[in-house]
């Protein structure tokens, strides 16, 4: 019986609503490439970028989000610069996290300041959930100001 060795993947998700945002696609790309090279070797790195408003579209229903979900396997990491680049509401974040965790896939948001090891603890999960609540609040406040 032979077992296949598979190099884990680091799936880097980049999203900007417009090219005029402070957190541009280029800035996200640079940050993700740097972190992937430093923290995820010998992982194979794949990049998924889209310029789209994601205010109402759950991560797993976006074009690039679907690709990541289809390709990600046990042992892989999904990397985002900020929680709100991937998830616009708490439910979207929690649903995605639940699905990925059941499949042995880690998700890391660089703005979270929570280590991957800590994320798997009850305290880490609580902190991530609180951050998702604030990301949703921020999105709603921005939406109210720009109407």
């Amino acid at each position: 019986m032979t077992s296949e060795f598979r190099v884990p993947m680091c799936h880097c998700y980049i999203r900007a609503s417009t090219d005029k945002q402070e957190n541009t696609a280029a800035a996200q790309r640079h940050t993700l490439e740097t972190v992937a090279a430093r923290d995820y070797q010998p992982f194979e790195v794949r990049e998924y970028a889209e310029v789209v408003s994601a205010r109402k579209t759950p991560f797993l229903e976006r074009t690039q989000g679907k690709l990541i979900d289809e390709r990600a396997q046990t042992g892989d990491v999904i990397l985002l610069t900020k929680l709100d680049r991937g998830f616009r509401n708490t439910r979207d974040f929690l649903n995605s996290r639940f699905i990925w965790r059941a499949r042995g896939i880690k998700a890391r948001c660089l703005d979270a300041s929570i280590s991957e090891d800590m994320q798997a603890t009850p305290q880490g999960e609580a902190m991530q959930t609180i951050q998702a609540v604030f990301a949703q609040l921020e999105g709603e406040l921005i939406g109210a100001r720009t109407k």
Side-chain angles (χ1 to χ4, degrees), residues 13-63:
Y13 181 74
I14 298 165
R15 186 191 66 76
S17 299
T18 70
D19 286 331
K20 295 178 176 85
Q21 285 186 296
E22 179 181 320
N23 191 16
T24 65
Q28 291 176 58
R29 179 175 291 110
H30 174 73
T31 300
L32 292 170
E33 287 173 352
T34 301
V35 170
R38 183 190 69 214
D39 296 350
Y40 296 101
Q41 293 302 322
F43 281 48
E44 182 179 330
V45 178
R46 281 203 183 153
E47 182 182 292
Y48 305 82
E50 51 195 352
V51 177
V52 62
S53 174
R55 187 160 173 76
K56 296 182 180 178
T57 308
F59 183 85
L60 298 174
E61 293 178 17
R62 293 182 216 148
T63 303

Side-chain angles (χ1 to χ4, degrees), residues 2-3 5 7 10 27-28 57 67 96 99 125 128 137:
T2 61
S3 64
F5 175 76
V7 175
C10 180
Q28 291 176 58
T57 308
L67 278 175
S96 299
I99 289 167
E125 286 191 10
Q128 284 183 306
L137 175 62

Side-chain angles (χ1 to χ4, degrees), residues 8-133:
M9 299 284 297
C10 180
H11 305 272
C12 298
Y13 181 74
I14 298 165
R15 186 191 66 76
S17 299
T18 70
D19 286 331
K20 295 178 176 85
Q21 285 186 296
E22 179 181 320
N23 191 16
T24 65
Q28 291 176 58
R29 179 175 291 110
H30 174 73
T31 300
L32 292 170
E33 287 173 352
T34 301
V35 170
R38 183 190 69 214
D39 296 350
Y40 296 101
Q41 293 302 322
F43 281 48
E44 182 179 330
V45 178
R46 281 203 183 153
E47 182 182 292
Y48 305 82
E50 51 195 352
V51 177
V52 62
S53 174
R55 187 160 173 76
K56 296 182 180 178
T57 308
F59 183 85
L60 298 174
E61 293 178 17
R62 293 182 216 148
T63 303
Q64 299 302 310
K66 284 181 193 177
L67 278 175
I68 290 172
D69 189 56
E70 290 168 3
R71 293 176 178 170
Q73 297 179 33
T74 300
D76 288 358
V77 173
I78 298 167
L79 193 60
L80 303 93
T81 55
K82 292 182 66 180
L83 193 97
D84 70 359
R85 296 295 85 206
F87 314 100
R88 281 301 193 179
N89 64 57
T90 308
R91 171 175 269 162
D92 183 25
F93 168 73
L94 292 173
N95 288 343
S96 299
R97 182 177 71 182
F98 179 81
I99 289 167
W100 293 331
R101 201 162 276 153
R103 292 170 43 202
I105 300 164
K106 294 180 181 180
R108 180 178 172 198
C109 299
L110 299 179
D111 67 335
S113 302
I114 301 172
S115 72
E116 283 183 47
D117 294 333
M118 178 66 170
Q119 288 179 22
T121 67
Q123 298 91 335
E125 286 191 10
M127 291 297 298
Q128 284 183 306
T129 303
I130 291 167
Q131 288 175 323
V133 168

